[in-house]
Amino acid sequence: DTEVTQTPKHLVMGMTNKKSLKCEQHMGHRAMYWYKQKAKKPPELMFVYSYEKLSINESVPSRFSPECPNSSLLNLHLHALQPEDSALYLCASSHSGGSTDTQYFGPGTRLTVL
Amino acid sequence: ILNVEQSPQSLHVQEGDSTNFTCSFPSSNFYALHWYRWETAKSPEALFVMTLNGDEKKKGRISATLNTKEGYSYLYIKGSQPEDSATYLCAFPLQAGTALIFGKGTTLSVSS
């Protein structure tokens, strides 16, 4: 099973809402990632978790809060977002986070902030 | 700033045509070069991870080559089919053991 699942597929939220994106993999991978993709641009890295510890935070605003409850799950908690945060949010996982590890992506959550 | 450049930005070919795209990356501190295919409404799908200068990898009608000294990789599709229509992304690790910096991709459209 090389599947990474993400829920929800679509999310519309107001600027005062609190919501969470979820990502799950059962490949035994120990590295998990959040990327943000705006229209006509490549995915941009937000966070990396390695062995359930946050290893990279690419200067993401604090209104995005990642959480890795266990090695299979990755959450992204959203609070007080801005309309410019509307994007496709992709989750990925890889074996251990090495440069040559294939990253397996989920289908993404399409987020719209009103 | 690490730049991964891809060309062309988009490409339209007829079924049966062969085509190729380019990915350019910094030739210093090379760790690996990844190729992905991303079809609309689907997850990005890994095609190749290339690590050695001169590497050539093949998956069906798709192949890729790598030149780490000059900092480029080519992706070839032989006999394009409509199902090959997708955006092809290359990606480069920022550092050893970290996540990927993606190029903007080449969007391929194959007409039957």
Side-chain angles (χ1 to χ4, degrees), chain A residues 33 35 37 42-43 45 48 56 58 88 90 97-103 105-107, chain B residues 31-32 34 36 38 43-44 46 49 51 93-100 102-104:
Chain A
Y33 312 80
Y35 289 87
Q37 196 251 340
L45 179 67
V48 181
I56 294 178
E58 289 291 333
L88 180 69
L90 289 163
S99 306
T100 59
D101 286 354
T102 294
Q103 290 191 20
F105 284 82
Chain B
Y31 300 108
H34 297 241
Y36 285 84
W38 196 358
S43 310
V49 179
T51 56
L94 185 60
Q95 300 173 30
T98 67
L100 301 173
F102 283 85
K104 292 183 177 180

Side-chain angles (χ1 to χ4, degrees), chain A residues 69-89:
Chain A
N70 59 58
S71 60
S72 299
L73 294 173
L74 185 66
N75 298 321
L76 186 63
H77 302 298
L78 314 173
H79 174 55
L81 294 193
Q82 303 297 310
E84 60 264 29
D85 297 321
S86 298
L88 180 69
Y89 289 84

